[in-house]
Amino acid sequence: MPLPKKHYKRVFIVSGIITLIVFLAGVGAGYWLDRFRVDDVVSALKQNELNLEAFLVEQQFLDALGGEACEILEPRFRDLSRNLGEIGRTLTQYESKRIFAQYDYEYLKARYSLLEIRTYLLLLELTKQCGAPRVGVLFFYKADDETSIRQGYILDAIVKKYGEEKVSVYSFDRDFKSEAIDLLEAHYNVTEAPAVVINNEIIKNGFTSRDELEPLIAEVIKGD
Amino acid sequence: MNGFDASDGDLMLEYVLLGVSAISLYLSVFWLNVLHLEKARMMGTKKPRQTIFPTLSLIVPAFNEEQNIAKTLASLLKLDYPKDKLDIIVVDDGSNDHTAKIVRAFKKDGVRLLNKKHSGKGSSLNFGLKAAVGELFGIVDADSTVEPDSLKTLVPHFSDPKVGAVISGIKVANQKKILERLQRFEYLFATLFRRLLTALNTLYITPGVLSLYRRDVVLRLGGFDEKNPTEDLEMALRLHHAFYKVEMELDSVTYTTVPSTIRAFERQRVRWCRGHIHNILGKYRDMFFNKKYGLMGTFQFPLHVLAPAMMIFAVCLVLFSVYLWVASTVWQALFTREALLAFTIPTIKQFFLNINLRVGFSVAVLFLLGLYLYNKAHVFGKKSGTFRELFYSSFSFIRCC
């Protein structure tokens, strides 16, 4: 015998309410995870900024009061670079899945870009001071651009081959509005994406194959 | 190291997945609620003892069934039903094997054999219907076997004069090959599902395995549609169209032989799909959203279109996602050596932080509900599931839509 009408009407309504609760719980859980991801990245950025400040203080200390600055500072710089690289990879993964809200995305990207620039400047200074063979590469790209993606993979492979202690890559989105990035582009005369600047000297606009890029980087590492 | 990428395709996919999972979740929760309400009636209600047994004719349409007919007839002869009230008729639809010869051996047990030219199951049923003498009549497929108490559990439903047909639960007899075992889980699930449909008076099929009908009603409605690819589905819809009820009895169990090859399986399913389209979207499309037919028109018919559409859409979505993944990951890795060299395995933290919880949560709950419904199907089918069987059931739970 079928259910009475009032029962199945109730079933429809109760099912809708339960579905809505589960659905909202999922959306809520997703939102919570998004905030967790943003907080995770912000926390990593803050830690890196703090480490950078500490590095600068230590550098000043050693300059003022003497000591084996290069022996102490080089390992510290390696850690800084590695952490920065991890933050970059995390941000790339999250952004490819459109996990961030627009305002979070712009804030984190701006903060990350500034941190990259400061770390890059530190690298140049450290290289001048300590003379250790280390290559800093500025990589200018456009998001969703096939050749930029390929160029990125080439740089990743080179870093993997030589190690992060020898090669550090700092990437900047040409489409992202930032005065600091505009300044870099103007200084190095970057006219297209992808573009690569190696150790403040060698500038390559347009896609550079691995066969062309790797010898340039290897030479810098061998040189000095 | 490539900077930030945004994908509009991924966003669209997420919205579509959210929509599909929300609808599927609603339907799963809905059926669970119906199950909850029906549970008491299904598990323990004392049924009144049947004292009046109407005359009943069982029609067995057969075409080249020499492999199975003997077992079918043997099971019919074991039925616990007054022998003077039971009439068994085999309609030989122009078989060119030994079907007729085998049936003749049962003549001494009262089995009648009718011969006709080969013209399909529908015409065989009508042929048998004309020769039937019972107040009720039943159809039994020639490759099915019935349990002795099948009829006694089905007949009491006809005490309601609005009941036009009653069907039994179906289990799979042959379970050797993987294809047969997969179908076993499907039939187990379908049995529970049909019982739930009975609760809403939206049972839309009277399978030929064992279904009982009121003879006068079917004759008045014109008998079976001989040109229809699925005359069992069509008759159920015709009964609903004439405002009769179709019910299912869980305590009545019949065993059927399912297709054991991919080819036979494909033929059967294509015929079922053709029948669904022909009847639901064609012959009885006036029942769509028609309040006159209750939930059959306002709920079941639209669901009949929505559920397969969602399943096809979901399959396309999965294939499209795989294509996107292959295109962006493997393709690049194959044609960009650098991508392959740069690949790093994500850490556990990275893996979990990359999960899309908005979609994943609903899908996870949906999966768990499906497993629960499947387990209930086993309970009502008086079998318990093992983890190995649960794995095989993964496609069955989609049918809860």
Side-chain angles (χ1 to χ4, degrees), chain A residues 182-208:
Chain A
D182 290 342
L183 181 64
L184 284 176
E185 286 177 355
H187 177 76
Y188 291 109
N189 198 26
V190 169
T191 53
E192 58 182 293
V196 165
V197 177
I198 304 169
N199 253 22
N200 208 28
E201 290 166 1
I202 305 162
I203 300 161
K204 290 276 179 193
N205 273 301
F207 177 77
T208 313

mmCIF file of all heavy atoms in Angstrom, chain A residues 182-208:
data_model
loop_
_atom_site.group_PDB
_atom_site.id
_atom_site.type_symbol
_atom_site.label_atom_id
_atom_site.label_comp_id
_atom_site.label_asym_id
_atom_site.label_seq_id
_atom_site.Cartn_x
_atom_site.Cartn_y
_atom_site.Cartn_z
ATOM 1 N N ASP A 182 57.245 46.612 -12.536
ATOM 2 C CA ASP A 182 57.421 47.558 -13.654
ATOM 3 C C ASP A 182 58.838 48.127 -13.647
ATOM 4 O O ASP A 182 59.466 48.296 -14.699
ATOM 5 C CB ASP A 182 56.411 48.710 -13.542
ATOM 6 C CG ASP A 182 54.994 48.240 -13.829
ATOM 7 O OD1 ASP A 182 54.859 47.151 -14.434
ATOM 8 O OD2 ASP A 182 54.034 48.934 -13.447
ATOM 9 N N LEU A 183 59.315 48.403 -12.436
ATOM 10 C CA LEU A 183 60.665 48.954 -12.295
ATOM 11 C C LEU A 183 61.706 47.961 -12.815
ATOM 12 O O LEU A 183 62.647 48.331 -13.542
ATOM 13 C CB LEU A 183 60.921 49.283 -10.808
ATOM 14 C CG LEU A 183 62.275 49.894 -10.466
ATOM 15 C CD1 LEU A 183 62.415 51.260 -11.136
ATOM 16 C CD2 LEU A 183 62.437 50.052 -8.953
ATOM 17 N N LEU A 184 61.540 46.706 -12.419
ATOM 18 C CA LEU A 184 62.472 45.656 -12.880
ATOM 19 C C LEU A 184 62.445 45.553 -14.405
ATOM 20 O O LEU A 184 63.492 45.450 -15.049
ATOM 21 C CB LEU A 184 62.084 44.299 -12.282
ATOM 22 C CG LEU A 184 62.431 44.043 -10.821
ATOM 23 C CD1 LEU A 184 61.884 42.681 -10.395
ATOM 24 C CD2 LEU A 184 63.934 44.080 -10.591
ATOM 25 N N GLU A 185 61.255 45.544 -14.969
ATOM 26 C CA GLU A 185 61.127 45.406 -16.429
ATOM 27 C C GLU A 185 61.792 46.568 -17.146
ATOM 28 O O GLU A 185 62.467 46.393 -18.158
ATOM 29 C CB GLU A 185 59.636 45.339 -16.819
ATOM 30 C CG GLU A 185 58.975 44.009 -16.467
ATOM 31 C CD GLU A 185 57.492 43.967 -16.779
ATOM 32 O OE1 GLU A 185 56.938 45.023 -17.190
ATOM 33 O OE2 GLU A 185 56.882 42.913 -16.591
ATOM 34 N N ALA A 186 61.591 47.756 -16.597
ATOM 35 C CA ALA A 186 62.191 48.947 -17.229
ATOM 36 C C ALA A 186 63.715 48.893 -17.116
ATOM 37 O O ALA A 186 64.431 49.172 -18.076
ATOM 38 C CB ALA A 186 61.650 50.198 -16.559
ATOM 39 N N HIS A 187 64.189 48.476 -15.942
ATOM 40 C CA HIS A 187 65.641 48.443 -15.711
ATOM 41 C C HIS A 187 66.350 47.460 -16.631
ATOM 42 O O HIS A 187 67.403 47.744 -17.186
ATOM 43 C CB HIS A 187 65.899 48.074 -14.239
ATOM 44 C CG HIS A 187 67.343 47.954 -13.912
ATOM 45 N ND1 HIS A 187 68.174 49.062 -13.746
ATOM 46 C CD2 HIS A 187 68.139 46.873 -13.739
ATOM 47 C CE1 HIS A 187 69.405 48.641 -13.484
ATOM 48 N NE2 HIS A 187 69.416 47.317 -13.476
ATOM 49 N N TYR A 188 65.701 46.265 -16.792
ATOM 50 C CA TYR A 188 66.349 45.227 -17.596
ATOM 51 C C TYR A 188 65.855 45.218 -19.038
ATOM 52 O O TYR A 188 66.212 44.342 -19.810
ATOM 53 C CB TYR A 188 66.111 43.839 -16.971
ATOM 54 C CG TYR A 188 66.830 43.648 -15.670
ATOM 55 C CD1 TYR A 188 66.143 43.609 -14.462
ATOM 56 C CD2 TYR A 188 68.224 43.538 -15.635
ATOM 57 C CE1 TYR A 188 66.810 43.439 -13.261
ATOM 58 C CE2 TYR A 188 68.895 43.375 -14.430
ATOM 59 C CZ TYR A 188 68.174 43.334 -13.242
ATOM 60 O OH TYR A 188 68.844 43.178 -12.058
ATOM 61 N N ASN A 189 65.038 46.210 -19.382
ATOM 62 C CA ASN A 189 64.522 46.330 -20.746
ATOM 63 C C ASN A 189 63.817 45.026 -21.199
ATOM 64 O O ASN A 189 64.088 44.492 -22.268
ATOM 65 C CB ASN A 189 65.666 46.688 -21.718
ATOM 66 C CG ASN A 189 65.121 47.235 -23.023
ATOM 67 O OD1 ASN A 189 64.006 47.791 -23.068
ATOM 68 N ND2 ASN A 189 65.872 47.066 -24.099
ATOM 69 N N VAL A 190 62.943 44.563 -20.348
ATOM 70 C CA VAL A 190 62.179 43.352 -20.676
ATOM 71 C C VAL A 190 61.007 43.772 -21.563
ATOM 72 O O VAL A 190 60.198 44.609 -21.183
ATOM 73 C CB VAL A 190 61.650 42.671 -19.386
ATOM 74 C CG1 VAL A 190 60.649 41.581 -19.705
ATOM 75 C CG2 VAL A 190 62.828 42.118 -18.578
ATOM 76 N N THR A 191 60.960 43.194 -22.767
ATOM 77 C CA THR A 191 59.945 43.645 -23.729
ATOM 78 C C THR A 191 58.886 42.586 -24.036
ATOM 79 O O THR A 191 57.851 42.884 -24.610
ATOM 80 C CB THR A 191 60.631 44.055 -25.047
ATOM 81 O OG1 THR A 191 61.454 42.956 -25.464
ATOM 82 C CG2 THR A 191 61.482 45.302 -24.865
ATOM 83 N N GLU A 192 59.197 41.319 -23.711
ATOM 84 C CA GLU A 192 58.182 40.293 -23.992
ATOM 85 C C GLU A 192 58.285 39.179 -22.947
ATOM 86 O O GLU A 192 59.211 39.143 -22.131
ATOM 87 C CB GLU A 192 58.366 39.732 -25.401
ATOM 88 C CG GLU A 192 59.727 39.129 -25.667
ATOM 89 C CD GLU A 192 59.884 38.635 -27.091
ATOM 90 O OE1 GLU A 192 59.191 37.668 -27.438
ATOM 91 O OE2 GLU A 192 60.718 39.193 -27.817
ATOM 92 N N ALA A 193 57.303 38.288 -23.019
ATOM 93 C CA ALA A 193 57.305 37.132 -22.118
ATOM 94 C C ALA A 193 57.304 35.859 -22.964
ATOM 95 O O ALA A 193 56.598 35.786 -23.973
ATOM 96 C CB ALA A 193 56.075 37.143 -21.217
ATOM 97 N N PRO A 194 58.100 34.865 -22.584
ATOM 98 C CA PRO A 194 58.961 34.849 -21.399
ATOM 99 C C PRO A 194 60.266 35.629 -21.610
ATOM 100 O O PRO A 194 60.681 35.841 -22.752
ATOM 101 C CB PRO A 194 59.248 33.358 -21.233
ATOM 102 C CG PRO A 194 59.175 32.788 -22.600
ATOM 103 C CD PRO A 194 58.152 33.588 -23.340
ATOM 104 N N ALA A 195 60.830 36.059 -20.501
ATOM 105 C CA ALA A 195 62.130 36.742 -20.562
ATOM 106 C C ALA A 195 62.934 36.296 -19.354
ATOM 107 O O ALA A 195 62.364 36.035 -18.287
ATOM 108 C CB ALA A 195 61.952 38.254 -20.547
ATOM 109 N N VAL A 196 64.241 36.190 -19.557
ATOM 110 C CA VAL A 196 65.099 35.666 -18.494
ATOM 111 C C VAL A 196 66.273 36.623 -18.306
ATOM 112 O O VAL A 196 66.880 37.052 -19.297
ATOM 113 C CB VAL A 196 65.591 34.254 -18.885
ATOM 114 C CG1 VAL A 196 66.742 33.821 -18.029
ATOM 115 C CG2 VAL A 196 64.454 33.250 -18.767
ATOM 116 N N VAL A 197 66.556 36.966 -17.054
ATOM 117 C CA VAL A 197 67.725 37.810 -16.751
ATOM 118 C C VAL A 197 68.632 36.994 -15.847
ATOM 119 O O VAL A 197 68.208 36.550 -14.771
ATOM 120 C CB VAL A 197 67.315 39.109 -16.018
ATOM 121 C CG1 VAL A 197 68.533 39.930 -15.636
ATOM 122 C CG2 VAL A 197 66.355 39.914 -16.881
ATOM 123 N N ILE A 198 69.880 36.787 -16.281
ATOM 124 C CA ILE A 198 70.785 35.916 -15.509
ATOM 125 C C ILE A 198 71.851 36.771 -14.837
ATOM 126 O O ILE A 198 72.601 37.478 -15.514
ATOM 127 C CB ILE A 198 71.450 34.870 -16.439
ATOM 128 C CG1 ILE A 198 70.369 34.073 -17.185
ATOM 129 C CG2 ILE A 198 72.362 33.938 -15.650
ATOM 130 C CD1 ILE A 198 70.911 33.212 -18.294
ATOM 131 N N ASN A 199 71.853 36.686 -13.534
ATOM 132 C CA ASN A 199 72.860 37.364 -12.710
ATOM 133 C C ASN A 199 73.070 38.834 -13.054
ATOM 134 O O ASN A 199 74.198 39.303 -13.116
ATOM 135 C CB ASN A 199 74.200 36.614 -12.797
ATOM 136 C CG ASN A 199 74.477 35.859 -11.511
ATOM 137 O OD1 ASN A 199 73.564 35.551 -10.762
ATOM 138 N ND2 ASN A 199 75.728 35.558 -11.255
ATOM 139 N N ASN A 200 71.953 39.524 -13.301
ATOM 140 C CA ASN A 200 71.993 40.975 -13.479
ATOM 141 C C ASN A 200 72.679 41.404 -14.776
ATOM 142 O O ASN A 200 72.849 42.594 -15.025
ATOM 143 C CB ASN A 200 72.754 41.604 -12.281
ATOM 144 C CG ASN A 200 72.273 43.002 -12.010
ATOM 145 O OD1 ASN A 200 71.121 43.340 -12.283
ATOM 146 N ND2 ASN A 200 73.154 43.834 -11.512
ATOM 147 N N GLU A 201 73.100 40.438 -15.617
ATOM 148 C CA GLU A 201 73.873 40.800 -16.792
ATOM 149 C C GLU A 201 73.258 40.296 -18.092
ATOM 150 O O GLU A 201 73.017 41.072 -19.009
ATOM 151 C CB GLU A 201 75.301 40.229 -16.676
ATOM 152 C CG GLU A 201 76.126 40.931 -15.613
ATOM 153 C CD GLU A 201 77.389 40.150 -15.268
ATOM 154 O OE1 GLU A 201 77.637 39.079 -15.857
ATOM 155 O OE2 GLU A 201 78.123 40.627 -14.391
ATOM 156 N N ILE A 202 73.010 39.009 -18.159
ATOM 157 C CA ILE A 202 72.551 38.422 -19.431
ATOM 158 C C ILE A 202 71.028 38.517 -19.484
ATOM 159 O O ILE A 202 70.332 38.039 -18.598
ATOM 160 C CB ILE A 202 72.976 36.952 -19.537
ATOM 161 C CG1 ILE A 202 74.489 36.836 -19.342
ATOM 162 C CG2 ILE A 202 72.543 36.366 -20.885
ATOM 163 C CD1 ILE A 202 74.954 35.453 -18.993
ATOM 164 N N ILE A 203 70.558 39.164 -20.556
ATOM 165 C CA ILE A 203 69.102 39.347 -20.690
ATOM 166 C C ILE A 203 68.648 38.654 -21.961
ATOM 167 O O ILE A 203 69.211 38.862 -23.044
ATOM 168 C CB ILE A 203 68.741 40.845 -20.767
ATOM 169 C CG1 ILE A 203 69.220 41.549 -19.488
ATOM 170 C CG2 ILE A 203 67.242 41.038 -20.972
ATOM 171 C CD1 ILE A 203 69.347 43.044 -19.614
ATOM 172 N N LYS A 204 67.623 37.780 -21.806
ATOM 173 C CA LYS A 204 67.090 37.070 -22.975
ATOM 174 C C LYS A 204 65.592 37.321 -23.070
ATOM 175 O O LYS A 204 64.825 36.874 -22.223
ATOM 176 C CB LYS A 204 67.328 35.556 -22.818
ATOM 177 C CG LYS A 204 68.771 35.142 -22.924
ATOM 178 C CD LYS A 204 69.127 34.983 -24.380
ATOM 179 C CE LYS A 204 70.580 34.585 -24.531
ATOM 180 N NZ LYS A 204 71.013 34.737 -25.912
ATOM 181 N N ASN A 205 65.201 38.090 -24.084
ATOM 182 C CA ASN A 205 63.766 38.302 -24.308
ATOM 183 C C ASN A 205 63.248 37.221 -25.231
ATOM 184 O O ASN A 205 63.876 36.915 -26.245
ATOM 185 C CB ASN A 205 63.534 39.675 -24.957
ATOM 186 C CG ASN A 205 63.409 40.761 -23.907
ATOM 187 O OD1 ASN A 205 62.522 40.711 -23.043
ATOM 188 N ND2 ASN A 205 64.312 41.719 -23.954
ATOM 189 N N GLY A 206 62.105 36.656 -24.937
ATOM 190 C CA GLY A 206 61.553 35.575 -25.758
ATOM 191 C C GLY A 206 62.000 34.230 -25.223
ATOM 192 O O GLY A 206 62.835 34.137 -24.337
ATOM 193 N N PHE A 207 61.430 33.176 -25.807
ATOM 194 C CA PHE A 207 61.712 31.813 -25.341
ATOM 195 C C PHE A 207 63.175 31.452 -25.595
ATOM 196 O O PHE A 207 63.706 31.679 -26.673
ATOM 197 C CB PHE A 207 60.785 30.821 -26.057
ATOM 198 C CG PHE A 207 61.050 29.395 -25.695
ATOM 199 C CD1 PHE A 207 60.607 28.883 -24.487
ATOM 200 C CD2 PHE A 207 61.757 28.566 -26.553
ATOM 201 C CE1 PHE A 207 60.855 27.563 -24.151
ATOM 202 C CE2 PHE A 207 62.007 27.243 -26.219
ATOM 203 C CZ PHE A 207 61.562 26.745 -25.010
ATOM 204 N N THR A 208 63.815 30.890 -24.562
ATOM 205 C CA THR A 208 65.212 30.447 -24.689
ATOM 206 C C THR A 208 65.238 28.952 -24.430
ATOM 207 O O THR A 208 64.812 28.499 -23.361
ATOM 208 C CB THR A 208 66.120 31.151 -23.664
ATOM 209 O OG1 THR A 208 65.832 32.540 -23.675
ATOM 210 C CG2 THR A 208 67.581 30.925 -23.977
#
